[in-house]
Amino acid sequence: MGAQRIDGKLIATKKRQAMKSQIESMKQQGYVPGLAVILVGEDPASISYVKGKIRDCKEVGIYSELIQFDVTVSEKQVLEQIEILNANDKIHGLLVQLPLPDHISEQKVIQAISPEKDVDGFHPINVGRLVTKQEGFVSCTPAGIIEMLKAIDVPISGKHVVIVGRSNIVGKPAALLFLNLDATVTVCHSKTKPLSKYTKQADILVAAAGSEALIHANDIKPGAIVIDVGMNRSASGRLVGDVAFEEVKEKAGYITPVPGGVGPMTRVMLLENTLIAAMRQHEKAGKQ
Ligand code: NDP
């Protein structure tokens, strides 16, 4: 029997629907959640991601601002713009689209964003909050994976979760989230040898390596839940994941498609983080 497909697109659509009424009630309370996105340069992928973020905001009723800089902008100018947005009451969430040109330090930029507006969850204070299980913001992709598993009622506690990838934005925060939910977590990376020794043990396998067809059917346990984060361009130009979908779907219990799996969940979690930021800031302002 083949795996059940986890429809991230559908789960995300339902979440956006629910958000619309949540935003309406915020408006009735006198505030509108706001997101600002800073884009530097003209990288086509970045432009397309940013456009998608602004479009998503419009769809659900989040106020949005896009601040575009030429690729030659100085680091100082970007940092000054962040300061302005940190102090802007209409803006509750703020992100700078990565990657940045070499003359701008990503770490400096990330650390300039107010942790209370850091809806990407990249600020070291938010990473620290995740490590210590405190309230903060979590990177959208791993948060979207957990949301997806909750939507299909998959229990996480006690499960062995194997994550392939240890990046700051996907692998590491995913490992911490699963650990905080009482899973047993193994993190693999490019020096893990042999990779399949570990992936075969997974009840839940998260593939986030950025390597086409890295995971084959003989790399998984029968019935495993397979979450494919990868976004790669195949030789024919198609968007494909890290998992050889056609063969793995015959052996897995659940599987996410690419596209239509983790991608839409990542997008919707940015909206969710913006709503949370707005609620927290509104509540805090009310107490002052
Ligand atoms: P990075 O390149 O930052 O990290 C990749 C990680 O995978 C590294 O830890 C690397 O190991 C590990 N890795 C690479 N090749 C192998 C291999 N052959 N075996 C085992 N481990 C390997 O990528 P990101 O974390 O940013 O993204 C990962 C993938 O997810 C990409 O395809 C990206 O496009 C996609 N992505 C998708 C999103 C979505 O919304 N669907 C959002 C974000 C990312 P090492 O540390 O040793 O180098």
Side-chain angles (χ1 to χ4, degrees):
M1 206 182 83
Q4 284 195 51
R5 181 190 283 245
I6 310 177
D7 190 342
K9 201 172 164 192
L10 182 67
I11 299 168
T13 301
K14 285 185 182 162
K15 278 190 78 68
R16 281 199 306 277
Q17 287 302 333
M19 278 177 197
K20 284 182 190 170
S21 48
Q22 221 180 329
I23 292 167
E24 270 314 308
S25 88
M26 287 172 158
K27 285 180 181 165
Q28 278 160 20
Q29 292 170 56
Y31 70 108
V32 182
L35 175 73
V37 179
I38 298 179
L39 173 66
V40 178
E42 303 206 342
D43 172 60
S46 293
I47 291 174
S48 146
Y49 290 142
V50 163
K51 276 189 181 162
K53 288 169 189 180
I54 301 293
R55 208 170 39 239
D56 289 349
C57 284
K58 289 212 170 100
E59 190 204 322
V60 296
I62 292 177
Y63 168 75
S64 63
E65 281 184 26
L66 170 60
I67 296 99
Q68 277 182 283
F69 285 113
D70 191 82
V71 72
T72 57
V73 69
S74 69
E75 183 180 273
K76 188 166 170 275
Q77 277 172 289
V78 175
L79 295 175
E80 280 169 4
Q81 183 61 59
I82 292 172
E83 274 313 304
I84 292 168
L85 293 166
N86 278 343
N88 182 342
D89 289 346
K90 273 164 79 179
I91 298 301
H92 306 97
L94 163 57
L95 70 90
V96 179
Q97 186 66 40
L98 302 179
L100 289 169
D102 289 347
H103 66 280
I104 303 178
S105 156
E106 286 190 357
Q107 270 315 314
K108 267 195 201 166
V109 163
I110 289 169
Q111 291 184 37
I113 296 171
S114 158
E116 314 320 315
K117 296 192 177 186
D118 168 40
V119 283
D120 260 344
F122 295 166
H123 194 294
I125 287 186
N126 281 317
V127 177
R129 286 173 177 156
L130 174 61
V131 173
T132 53
K133 232 178 154 178
Q134 295 176 65
E135 188 180 271
F137 290 106
V138 180
S139 177
C140 298
T141 301
I145 294 171
I146 301 294
E147 200 66 24
M148 216 177 195
L149 294 175
K150 281 188 185 160
I152 56 162
D153 278 331
V154 165
I156 292 171
S157 174
K159 292 287 160 63
H160 185 189
V161 179
V162 177
I163 298 167
V164 185
R166 56 173 165 180
S167 72
N168 289 341
I169 64 164
V170 186
K172 280 183 201 160
L176 289 162
L177 273 177
F178 278 113
L179 191 61
N180 287 348
L181 291 166
D182 299 326
T184 303
V185 181
T186 301
V187 182
C188 304
H189 46 78
S190 67
K191 308 291 185 295
T192 303
K193 299 278 181 296
L195 183 63
S196 69
K197 173 181 165 191
Y198 301 95
T199 57
K200 270 181 193 162
Q201 296 174 31
D203 300 313
I204 300 173
L205 176 65
V206 178
S211 178
E212 183 182 350
L214 180 66
I215 307 294
H216 288 270
N218 55 11
D219 298 319
I220 73 156
K221 181 161 93 173
I225 298 165
V226 179
I227 309 291
D228 193 353
V229 183
M231 288 198 315
N232 314 294
R233 283 282 158 205
S234 71
S236 64
R238 227 162 34 94
L239 182 66
V240 294
D242 289 354
V243 175
F245 186 85
E246 291 304 322
E247 55 174 282
V248 173
K249 81 174 188 338
E250 299 305 321
K251 195 172 173 188
Y254 284 95
I255 190 165
T256 63
V258 177
V262 175
M265 294 304 298
T266 298
R267 283 174 67 164
V268 83
M269 293 316 283
L270 176 65
L271 305 179
E272 174 132 315
N273 278 352
T274 305
L275 257 59
I276 293 169
M279 280 189 278
R280 286 184 191 155
Q281 284 160 48
H282 179 72
E283 204 172 303
K284 201 173 160 196
K287 283 183 188 155
Q288 280 168 355

